[in-house]
Amino acid sequence: MAVYSLPKARFIQKVGNFRPISHQWSSKWNIVSRAVGTGRRSSQKSIQDTQGGGLVNANKSSSGDHHHHQHHHKHSKAGGWFTWSGVLLRWTPLGFCLIAAAQWHLHNREMDKKGLPRTATQWQMNVYRSLPLRMVSRCWGWLADCRVPKPCRPIVYGLYSTTFGVKIHEAAVTDYKSYRSLAEFFTRSLRDDVRIIDPISSIVSPCDGRVLHFGSATNEQIEQVKGVNYNLEDFLGPRWNSSEKLNYVDSLKLSANKEDTALYQCIIYLAPGDYHRFHSPSVWQPELRRHFAGELLSVSPKIAKWVPGLFCLNERVVYTGKWKHGFFSFTAVGATNVGSVQIYIDEELKTNRWLGIKPGKDKYKNFDELKLTKEIQLNKGELLGQFNMGSTVVMIFEAPKNFKFNLTTGQTIQLGEPIGNLAENYKESLI
């Protein structure tokens, strides 16, 4: 981003005005020859020039200069690619693009030979992160909050519903004209009878979406998608409640017998057409909130496969606490065009704030922390918050080692559906 602030206009103007020495001397010789020719013709009519021909000479001179400028413009236009400005403004960007494309192709071919996923290199991530996505997201948030004229609402919302597969018949209000803005339409509520919270399973899906990944989190490096990892400590933040002698995973566990339990994770991606509110996935008690003011990169499945540690880079709100089996955390991850993440139990939370342009700064490592003083008990299926546009929910929780997921990667899931159970004594242990 620092390149955008350079005073390029003055430099480009000077470079554009510069010409090779031979061309400058040829232009001067043409001017001298025209002046000599004009002087010879004027000597033959010196009397007429003295009595009023000055105006004629002026017209001839101006016409000659105009002809010279036209000739000079044609020459510059014809040889624009071969001037200094052409080299700097045309050949150089083209060369950089060709080099970048070649490196991209060679990197992908090397990853294919090693049998590894095609993840981004460091320079590719630097270029992607340098894009003004936070500014774009703030502009989109402002636009989405603008009032849409009532006659245009069925057209705008209907086109959006057709494009992204919105099931408007499930909404509490099905009349398009009732939604003042796109933001209100994105965060629409559902009818009470369209999502049934499973009464048996102790942990259910907190939202509508697509399952990106699920499984155990036995190491600090855990998968965000198959073959692409992120660091658990970078994601949740530094340890806060245990001795340094334990590894990070064990320091999160709250059960007395840590060997009998394990950490599990479940990642659900909310597409733009999904129901944008999220609910509590279980009966649990949040105790600590951490807000990481990071990037606003896209969290679509394609980008999640391409950018390692994506969830550690993006802005996110992490709530940690406890449930019946030990440690429990719920994280709402921001994304491109997500104007804000709103948590109903946390009125002090302000996301997507203007952080300024700070090239080279690792904003994703900065966070503010709030200890929830009053006891907050969330019930299973209780409304928790909302996104603007699509984003991602990450759950990391402690459970006995016989816990089994009943999910498949890539499946579509709805709010209230069970995501797993204990293999033994299912009903008795989870009621």
Side-chain angles (χ1 to χ4, degrees):
M1 294 300 297
V3 179
Y4 305 148
S5 61
L6 293 176
K8 296 184 291 185
R10 183 179 301 175
F11 173 74
I12 294 174
Q13 181 180 4
K14 290 184 177 295
V15 173
N17 292 333
F18 180 77
R19 293 292 182 271
I21 297 176
S22 59
H23 178 69
Q24 293 178 359
W25 279 107
S26 62
S27 300
K28 292 180 179 179
W29 177 253
N30 291 334
I31 295 173
V32 172
S33 61
R34 286 196 186 91
V36 173
T38 305
R40 289 176 179 177
R41 288 192 298 271
S42 62
S43 63
Q44 296 176 0
K45 299 181 180 180
S46 58
I47 299 175
Q48 295 179 359
D49 294 343
T50 305
Q51 294 178 354
L55 180 61
V56 177
N57 287 336
N59 291 334
K60 288 182 179 180
S61 177
S62 62
S63 64
D65 292 342
H66 179 67
H67 175 74
H68 169 66
H69 287 311
Q70 285 184 340
H71 176 74
H72 178 69
H73 176 70
K74 290 180 180 178
H75 179 80
S76 299
K77 186 175 181 181
W81 281 84
F82 301 99
T83 60
W84 286 107
S85 61
V87 171
L88 290 175
L89 302 180
R90 298 182 183 182
W91 289 109
T92 301
L94 181 61
F96 280 130
C97 291
L98 291 176
I99 293 173
Q103 289 185 348
W104 194 310
H105 175 71
L106 292 175
H107 172 71
N108 290 341
R109 190 168 67 176
E110 184 180 356
M111 293 294 102
D112 293 340
K113 287 182 179 180
K114 295 179 179 179
L116 300 175
R118 294 183 174 184
T119 55
T121 60
Q122 187 60 46
W123 71 268
Q124 290 172 344
M125 291 179 59
N126 291 339
V127 171
Y128 184 35
R129 291 176 60 188
S130 69
L131 299 177
L133 298 179
R134 182 172 291 275
M135 185 182 300
V136 171
S137 300
R138 289 177 64 87
C139 293
W140 173 254
W142 173 84
L143 180 64
D145 199 44
C146 291
R147 181 183 179 276
V148 178
K150 211 167 187 178
C152 300
R153 293 175 187 176
I155 300 174
V156 175
Y157 304 148
L159 180 62
Y160 182 89
S161 300
T162 303
T163 304
F164 295 106
V166 176
K167 299 177 181 178
I168 190 61
H169 62 277
E170 295 181 344
V173 180
T174 57
D175 184 12
Y176 286 134
K177 293 184 178 180
S178 301
Y179 298 99
R180 185 191 68 87
S181 64
L182 279 170
E184 285 190 4
F185 183 69
F186 296 151
T187 57
R188 63 194 177 276
S189 59
L190 297 180
R191 300 199 319 265
D192 296 334
D193 59 339
V194 297
R195 297 290 184 271
I196 304 300
I197 307 299
D198 187 86
I200 299 177
S201 177
S202 63
I203 183 168
V204 298
S205 174
C207 57
D208 290 1
R210 175 182 172 185
V211 179
L212 280 186
H213 192 73
F214 63 91
S216 60
T218 56
N219 301 317
E220 290 190 26
Q221 293 289 335
I222 56 179
E223 288 188 332
Q224 64 185 29
V225 294
K226 186 176 181 181
V228 182
N229 299 332
Y230 69 98
N231 187 275
L232 185 60
E233 185 173 0
D234 289 341
F235 180 71
L236 296 177
R239 64 182 75 203
W240 59 88
N241 60 355
S242 183
S243 172
E244 295 287 341
K245 296 180 181 180
L246 298 174
N247 62 51
Y248 188 80
V249 174
D250 289 337
S251 70
L252 297 176
K253 296 180 181 180
L254 300 178
S255 61
N257 298 323
K258 299 182 184 298
E259 296 181 356
D260 296 335
T261 60
L263 288 185
Y264 299 89
Q265 68 156 338
C266 182
I267 305 173
I268 302 176
Y269 166 70
L270 287 76
D274 289 328
Y275 170 58
H276 289 76
R277 299 186 180 187
F278 47 87
H279 300 239
S280 174
S282 180
V283 179
W284 68 293
Q285 180 181 345
E287 298 176 341
L288 185 71
R289 182 258 284 168
R290 285 178 170 176
H291 172 218
F292 293 80
E295 312 286 351
L296 283 179
L297 309 179
S298 172
V299 292
S300 66
K302 291 183 179 180
I303 299 298
K305 293 179 181 178
W306 184 61
V307 179
L310 174 63
F311 301 142
C312 300
L313 297 175
N314 267 19
E315 181 171 10
R316 60 199 180 277
V317 185
V318 180
Y319 288 89
T320 60
K322 58 186 178 181
W323 72 319
K324 61 186 297 185
H325 297 298
F327 173 80
F328 195 95
S329 71
F330 183 96
T331 304
V333 183
T336 305
N337 290 339
V338 178
S340 64
V341 178
Q342 182 178 357
I343 307 295
Y344 301 141
I345 62 173
D346 192 354
E347 297 180 355
E348 298 182 13
L349 177 66
K350 301 295 181 183
T351 62
N352 196 13
R353 294 174 294 180
W354 172 247
L355 301 177
I357 300 175
K358 301 178 181 178
K361 299 293 183 181
D362 291 331
K363 299 186 290 293
Y364 67 93
K365 293 184 178 180
N366 301 326
F367 67 92
D368 59 84
E369 184 175 285
L370 176 66
K371 189 172 183 180
L372 305 178
T373 54
K374 65 176 183 179
E375 289 192 4
I376 301 175
Q377 187 77 17
L378 294 175
N379 297 317
K380 183 172 59 176
E382 182 178 345
L383 185 58
L384 184 56
Q386 66 184 34
F387 289 114
N388 288 339
M389 290 295 287
S391 195
T392 300
V393 166
V394 180
M395 294 177 291
I396 299 175
F397 55 91
E398 182 182 3
K401 290 186 176 180
N402 60 352
F403 179 85
K404 302 294 181 182
F405 286 98
N406 55 1
L407 302 172
T408 58
T409 302
Q411 82 169 76
T412 300
I413 195 169
Q414 291 184 336
L415 168 67
E417 294 181 355
I419 66 173
N421 55 73
L422 295 178
E424 299 176 359
N425 300 326
Y426 172 58
K427 291 185 179 182
E428 290 79 9
S429 60
L430 291 183
I431 291 178

